[in-house]
Amino acid sequence: MRFALQCLAASAFLLILSCAALAEVYSGDATVIGNRRSYRIRAGESLVEVARRFDLGYQEMVAANPGIDPFAPGSGISVTIPTEWIVPASLKWGGIVINLSEMRLYYSFSFKGARLIASFPIGIGDEGKDTPVGTFRVIQKIENPSWYVPQSVKMEKPELPDVVPPGPDNPLGTHAMRLSERTILIHGTNKPWGVGRRVSHGCIRLYPEDIPRLYRLVAVGTPVTIVMEPVKVGERNGRVFAEVHDDRSSSAENIEAAVTLLNENILQDRISTKKLLRAIMEKKGVPVDISR
């Protein structure tokens, strides 16, 4: 009986891991997760396709590979695959954090005493239709959702019907989770090129292959915190790292944010000011070693 229960627990854990892949599951005790790698572009590939292959958003790939044409990078060229992140300071256990600055979602959860983190790239609200910042919770989960076209969208595209039924033409994709800000959903998409871009009317979009995995992991009532954290700091193997994203913040604001985070984590005496300033100026969106 005990062996059967152990097998059942192991099977459940494997199910959790399969639900979170392609987004990998990482240890919740780390402040820097994942590992950066390189990839050689194949003939005819764009960074858009490569980003999706590695479960990254468009902007993540572009920021990590400055100077490379995202649509015609060139066959055989080596590019950085930025599958390494600093965990947002606002991430709390048992909750979701959506960092608009990096267009990425983090979900922390516990299983059999282990603290785990899953992360997914997202598309967010376009300028003037910004995804709201604040603290919310998941109040409803919907499989094969119908899209009730908002009046604001109907004004832009009057040819749309009042309701788009489930199917390949539905912009909500196969699964949706409604937040307590009822007009905001975390959902799939029928336009995966929009992941990693500011293209929505405020909702949060995931790749079609990612949304069912997140959907199975998240329960109704899960807290969701939406933030703008263009600067993050963390440490790994005794080294201090900073990650800076190119959103709408000024360099002065990013310096102030970095200093605050370093002080809060008692890391200020372990860093090179020159390296920190370079990271803030370059804004590559990847963890950069700023240790002395």
Side-chain angles (χ1 to χ4, degrees):
M1 178 68 174
R2 184 177 178 181
F3 178 74
L5 289 174
Q6 289 174 335
C7 289
L8 181 62
S11 298
F13 185 66
L14 289 173
L15 175 62
I16 282 180
L17 294 183
S18 67
C19 286
L22 297 169
E24 296 181 38
V25 175
Y26 304 97
S27 167
D29 296 322
T31 57
V32 182
I33 58 175
N35 290 284
R36 209 177 315 175
R37 63 192 93 171
S38 60
Y39 173 79
R40 199 164 295 280
I41 297 289
R42 301 172 184 174
E45 275 188 323
S46 70
L47 293 191
V48 179
E49 296 163 308
V50 175
R52 186 174 181 183
R53 173 176 296 175
F54 289 96
D55 205 35
L56 294 163
Y58 171 79
Q59 191 56 45
E60 286 180 296
M61 279 295 298
V62 171
N65 293 281
I68 295 178
D69 187 326
F71 302 105
S75 178
I77 190 172
S78 181
V79 295
T80 296
I81 303 299
T83 45
E84 183 181 32
W85 308 274
I86 296 175
V87 177
S90 50
L91 185 65
K92 301 294 186 294
W93 296 114
I96 290 172
V97 163
I98 293 167
N99 187 5
L100 302 179
S101 297
E102 61 177 317
M103 287 182 262
R104 181 159 281 273
L105 179 153
Y106 296 83
Y107 176 51
S108 65
F109 59 101
S110 299
F111 182 77
K112 292 186 69 62
R115 301 199 302 182
L116 304 172
I117 297 173
S119 185
F120 303 86
I122 56 172
I124 63 174
D126 196 0
E127 189 171 351
K129 305 163 188 171
D130 300 276
T131 302
V133 170
T135 302
F136 313 97
R137 58 188 174 85
V138 176
I139 63 170
Q140 184 184 19
K141 295 174 64 177
I142 315 160
E143 291 192 50
N144 298 313
S146 295
W147 182 40
Y148 294 85
V149 183
Q151 191 58 40
S152 58
V153 178
K154 289 275 284 185
M155 291 177 65
E156 294 177 11
K157 299 180 179 180
E159 70 278 8
L160 287 173
D162 292 335
V163 182
V164 177
D169 296 326
N170 191 314
L172 300 184
T174 58
H175 299 75
M177 295 183 286
R178 188 179 302 279
L179 302 188
S180 46
E181 177 71 35
R182 297 187 61 88
T183 59
I184 303 300
L185 301 171
I186 299 172
H187 62 79
T189 182
N190 63 342
K191 296 177 180 177
W193 54 264
V195 173
R197 300 175 190 250
R198 297 177 179 272
V199 292
S200 81
H201 282 73
C203 288
I204 297 100
R205 301 179 179 183
L206 276 74
Y207 282 127
E209 59 271 24
D210 280 346
I211 187 61
R213 298 177 175 107
L214 179 65
Y215 184 94
R216 288 192 290 266
L217 285 171
V218 173
V220 170
T222 297
V224 178
T225 305
I226 303 178
V227 298
M228 293 189 71
E229 289 185 19
V231 180
K232 300 182 292 179
V233 300
E235 56 181 326
R236 174 187 270 177
N237 299 326
R239 308 295 291 178
V240 182
F241 293 83
E243 180 180 326
V244 185
H245 292 269
D246 187 9
D247 65 358
R248 302 164 188 172
S249 303
S250 67
S251 294
E253 290 171 323
N254 288 342
I255 291 171
E256 182 179 356
V259 169
T260 299
L261 288 169
L262 290 166
N263 287 336
E264 288 176 351
N265 290 278
I266 319 176
L267 298 171
Q268 68 274 19
D269 295 331
R270 295 168 52 190
I271 66 111
S272 160
T273 302
K274 184 177 180 180
K275 290 180 181 178
L276 172 61
L277 292 176
R278 185 184 303 125
I280 288 173
M281 296 305 295
E282 290 180 346
K283 298 181 180 179
K284 287 188 176 181
V286 295
V288 175
D289 190 332
I290 59 168
S291 305
R292 282 184 174 177

